[in-house]
């Protein structure tokens, strides 16, 4: 049976949850040092935790905690947190929701729900806490610096749209795991949705027809979408080449390639 990391971790959470009876790791991976649903004498909770060490992963869990009040009720609530000093733990404890991941395959009845979730996310105002989180991860991969202004904006972005992050249950639907929210152009989340749909078996035409139901996509400059599509393909190729053992990265690069071909982006630009 799975367990908590150690006795110290157990002591940190005991004042909030009481004794822990069982630990259930998630079916889908989380880029954290610990993640699980725990059954306790005070009920079930979902726990995510990172070691408090400088770097991107630490910054990720701090961002998730900071943004959580502003993405309600689209995301489960953080009920409480622990933030130890250097080399200790940063622990977030969420309410547990009964959920399943959405199905992105062609013909799925979940597709309208995915569009609705993206529109709900697009309606969230940009909170002040996110103004210093500009979206720049694709900057290295643009074809020229002239494209950079096309990838700027003031929308709150999730930036990791995939079937495991969009979920539904009897109590509602959610976009979960806001591990790296940023400020950027609103069309980026629907654009990520397009590549996920192609990877799930849609034609590029079908994928874009679903994205067309997203207000952020409908209002976007086609030139900006083209710039992003090319940059996303270059990024996926670079990451897939560095990590050839991860087949899903290659599959995503293939999907992105099909998308840029559909959009008529010259191969010389890639």
């Amino acid at each position: 049976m799975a367990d908590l990391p150690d006795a110290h971790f157990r002591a940190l959470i005991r004042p909030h949850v009481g004794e822990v009876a069982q630990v259930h790791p998630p079916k889908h991976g989380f880029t954290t040092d610990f993640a699980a649903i725990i059954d306790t004498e005070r009920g079930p909770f979902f726990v995510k935790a990172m070691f408090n060490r400088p770097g991107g992963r630490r910054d990720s869990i701090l961002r998730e905690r900071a943004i959580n009040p502003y993405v309600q009720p689209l995301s489960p609530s953080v009920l409480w947190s622990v933030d130890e000093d250097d080399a200790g733990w940063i622990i977030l404890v969420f309410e547990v929701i009964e959920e399943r991941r959405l199905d992105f395959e062609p013909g799925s009845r979940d597709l309208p729900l995915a569009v609705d979730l993206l529109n709900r996310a697009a309606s969230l105002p940009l909170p002040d806490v996110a103004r210093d989180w500009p979206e720049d991860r694709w900057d290295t991969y643009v074809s020229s610096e002239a494209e950079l202004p096309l990838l700027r904006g003031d929308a709150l972005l999730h930036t990791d749209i995939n079937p495991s992050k969009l979920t539904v249950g009897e109590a509602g639907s959610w976009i979960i795991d806001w591990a790296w929210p940023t400020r950027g152009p609103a069309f980026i989340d629907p654009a990520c949705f397009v590549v996920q749909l192609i990877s799930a078996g849609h034609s590029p035409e079908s994928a874009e027809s679903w994205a067309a139901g997203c207000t952020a996509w409908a209002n976007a400059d086609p030139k900006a979408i083209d710039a992003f599509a090319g940059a996303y393909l270059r990024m996926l190729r670079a990451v897939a080449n560095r990590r050839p053992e991860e087949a899903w990265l290659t599959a995503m690069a293939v999907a992105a390639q099909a998308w840029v071909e559909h959009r008529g982006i010259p191969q010389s630009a890639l």
Side-chain angles (χ1 to χ4, degrees):
M1 183 179 70
D3 203 352
L4 299 174
D6 51 41
H8 176 60
F9 191 100
R10 186 178 295 271
L12 288 172
I13 67 173
R14 184 181 292 117
H16 304 280
V17 304
E19 294 301 323
V20 176
Q22 288 188 311
V23 178
H24 308 280
K27 295 179 181 179
H28 308 291
F30 283 81
T31 55
T32 52
D33 294 310
F34 177 79
I37 292 176
I38 58 173
D39 293 329
T40 79
E41 63 179 299
R42 298 180 189 172
F45 301 92
F46 177 62
V47 180
K48 292 178 69 173
M50 292 277 202
F51 293 118
N52 192 358
R53 297 168 180 160
R57 298 181 70 201
R58 174 185 178 273
D59 292 346
S60 171
I61 200 167
L62 293 176
R63 281 197 187 194
E64 184 165 12
R65 181 172 63 185
I67 203 64
N68 186 260
Y70 304 100
V71 294
Q72 305 301 320
L74 196 57
S75 171
S77 298
V78 174
L79 302 176
W80 50 266
S81 64
V82 173
D83 194 343
E84 289 192 291
D85 292 333
D86 293 349
W89 285 99
I90 301 173
I91 305 172
L92 306 186
V93 179
F94 295 81
E95 63 177 328
V96 169
I97 54 175
E98 296 294 330
E99 59 176 341
R100 65 167 176 82
R101 57 188 285 168
L102 296 193
D103 178 0
F104 280 11
E105 294 182 354
S108 169
R109 292 182 293 179
D110 291 342
L111 295 173
L113 181 56
V115 172
D116 177 67
L117 281 167
L118 289 170
N119 281 332
R120 287 168 59 195
S123 71
L124 296 172
L126 180 73
D128 287 343
V129 69
R131 292 194 177 276
D132 292 332
W133 301 340
E135 180 51 71
D136 59 6
R137 79 193 73 185
W138 286 282
D139 287 8
T140 303
Y141 302 98
V142 296
S143 63
S144 72
E145 289 190 4
E147 290 184 339
L148 290 177
L150 298 173
L151 302 184
R152 298 292 183 262
D154 287 318
L156 176 64
L157 303 177
H158 181 279
T159 71
D160 191 17
I161 301 300
N162 67 65
S164 67
K165 310 298 185 185
L166 276 63
T167 68
V168 64
E170 291 186 4
S173 56
W174 302 271
I175 299 181
I176 65 170
D177 195 19
W178 289 74
W180 201 252
T182 57
R183 173 177 58 83
F187 74 83
I188 282 185
D189 280 348
C192 293
F193 180 51
V194 166
V195 179
Q196 290 287 335
L197 290 177
I198 297 171
S199 183
H202 290 256
S203 68
E205 293 87 350
S206 171
E208 287 198 344
S209 72
W210 283 106
C214 299
T215 54
W217 176 275
N219 296 328
D221 180 350
K223 291 181 180 179
I225 296 176
D226 286 348
F228 176 78
Y232 198 14
L233 173 57
R234 296 181 200 100
M235 184 184 76
L236 286 169
R237 282 177 173 171
V239 177
N241 287 338
R242 290 197 301 268
R243 293 151 60 183
E245 72 283 359
E246 298 188 42
W248 71 272
L249 284 170
T250 300
M252 290 298 295
V254 170
Q257 175 71 41
W259 185 33
V260 299
E261 289 176 357
H262 167 69
R263 294 194 65 84
I265 299 172
Q267 294 299 303
S268 60
L270 301 172

